[in-house]
């Protein structure tokens, strides 16, 4: 069961302080399951209120009694519905197929741990029937409330993973763990996660590795309650606060005049990493047009790009940052003068700003 607890410590012993013993992954099933917390206590997740409002009409047609029963008042979730991903970015169809095949005893153990005493009515009855009902309820929830928004969610999670990799490269593993949460730190080869309950354990990651998984639906860090579960730390992702915001930032007028509205908008938006699909939705431009503009901006050094799974994420370069700052300030305060930046920007072939 994944939970946020008080006072205990989970200690994961890394095998030889090897970076290869630590990996990142994102899981649509984990996000789907953890999002059920918003059903019970939406006020604790104000960042997701716009999404809850947008999906309210379709949620009314879901198996809400069962979905609500998959969390408890402490906002815990069953471990078998928050598994450690076996790939950097798993597919929801594969994960739901695994849910449909989970051993019945494993499912019942997790549900009883979630609800000590008597199970809620939707979780009682023939175990095979309950398992099938859970699988179908999650599938319908994904189809109606998650699938339309998953590209945007996935982009935020991928951007976080790329950022953590950059922290490791620049500052090392210890700095990356410290940046996850004030309750996580690495000391002498042991990653300690300070929890908010008295439950804790210590185990080696040897042979399994430690998986770090960003999530949009946790404000802190969570981990499996059982030492028998594969080593896993879930932490709140960076950028969750921008997930449901409409694109509202305006590009400096001088930058728009220099680059055109679309490219100026892209450069302004890419303060944080994003994919071409996400940018197209935010700016109201086709993905193919966005890709052309992104390549042009990258070719003249205003953007950088990095591949994560099947997606390519773009981010402003230092030169792009300087151009934004120069445009906002009238273009006169960058070392080398505005002419250097304008010359660089002018190298991008002029296209329609649409």
């Amino acid at each position: 069961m994944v939970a946020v607890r008080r006072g205990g410590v989970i200690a994961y012993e890394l095998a030889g302080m090897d970076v290869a013993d630590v990996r990142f992954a994102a899981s649509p099933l984990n996000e789907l399951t953890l999002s059920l917390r918003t059903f019970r206590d939406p006020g604790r997740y104000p960042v997701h209120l716009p999404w809850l409002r947008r999906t309210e009409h379709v949620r009314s047609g879901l198996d809400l009694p069962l979905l609500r029963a998959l969390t408890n008042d402490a906002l815990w979730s069953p471990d078998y519905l928050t598994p450690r991903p076996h790939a950097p970015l798993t597919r929801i169809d594969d994960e739901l197929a695994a849910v449909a095949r989970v051993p019945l005893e494993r499912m019942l153990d997790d549900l009883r741990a979630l609800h000590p005493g008597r199970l809620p009515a939707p979780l009682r009855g023939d175990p095979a029937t309950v398992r099938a009902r859970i699988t179908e309820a999650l599938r319908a929830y994904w189809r109606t409330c998650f699938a339309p928004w998953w590209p945007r969610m996935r982009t935020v999670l991928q951007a976080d993973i790329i950022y953590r990799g950059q922290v490791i490269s620049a500052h090392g593993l210890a700095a990356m763990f410290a940046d996850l949460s004030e309750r996580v730190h690495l000391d002498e080869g042991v990653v300690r996660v300070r929890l908010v309950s008295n439950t804790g354990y210590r185990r080696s990651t040897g042979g399994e590795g430690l998986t770090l998984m960003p999530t949009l639906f946790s404000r802190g860090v969570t981990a499996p309650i059982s030492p028998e579960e594969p080593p896993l730390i879930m932490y709140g992702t960076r950028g969750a606060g921008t997930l449901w915001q409409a694109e509202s930032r305006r590009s400096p007028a001088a930058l728009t005049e220099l680059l055109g509205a679309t490219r100026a908008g892209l450069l302004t938006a890419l303060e944080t990493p994003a994919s071409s699909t996400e940018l197209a939705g935010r700016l109201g431009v086709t993905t193919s047009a966005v890709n052309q503009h992104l390549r042009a901006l990258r070719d003249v050094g205003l953007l950088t790009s990095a591949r994560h799974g099947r997606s390519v994420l773009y981010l402003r370069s230092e030169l792009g940052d300087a151009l934004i700052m120069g445009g906002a300030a009238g273009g006169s305060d960058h070392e080398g003068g505005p002419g250097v930046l304008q010359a660089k920007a002018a190298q991008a072939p002029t296209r329609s700003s649409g």
Side-chain angles (χ1 to χ4, degrees), residues 2-5 27 30-38 41-42 44-48 51 74-77 82 146 153 156-157 160 164 179-181 183-184 193-196 213-224 232-241 243-244:
V2 172
V4 180
R5 300 174 288 272
S27 161
N30 275 270
E31 295 305 288
L32 192 70
T33 299
L34 294 179
S35 73
L36 295 174
R37 299 169 170 182
T38 64
D41 193 355
R44 290 188 61 177
Y45 302 94
V47 68
H48 296 302
W51 170 68
L75 303 183
W76 292 8
S77 306
T82 53
F146 255 71
M153 295 178 177
V156 173
L157 298 172
D160 180 275
R164 305 297 173 186
D179 194 46
L180 294 182
S181 167
R183 295 195 281 118
V184 180
V193 185
R194 183 162 42 86
L195 305 174
V196 290
M213 189 162 58
T215 174
L216 294 158
F217 295 96
S218 178
R219 299 184 301 175
V221 290
T222 62
L232 171 68
I233 298 173
M234 286 184 281
Y235 62 91
T237 185
R238 300 170 75 250
L243 184 60
W244 308 115

Side-chain angles (χ1 to χ4, degrees), residues 327-349:
S332 61
D333 61 348
H334 180 263
E335 183 179 354
V340 174
L341 298 176
Q342 291 173 355
K344 277 284 189 180
Q347 294 175 25

Side-chain angles (χ1 to χ4, degrees), residues 153-193:
M153 295 178 177
R154 182 180 57 203
T155 295
V156 173
L157 298 172
Q158 290 174 323
D160 180 275
I161 291 172
I162 288 176
Y163 168 78
R164 305 297 173 186
Q166 292 171 340
V167 173
I168 293 174
S169 178
H171 305 291
L173 269 178
M176 183 277 295
F177 278 111
D179 194 46
L180 294 182
S181 167
E182 62 181 11
R183 295 195 281 118
V184 180
H185 69 276
L186 171 65
D187 182 33
E188 297 184 351
V190 179
V191 180
R192 291 180 172 83
V193 185

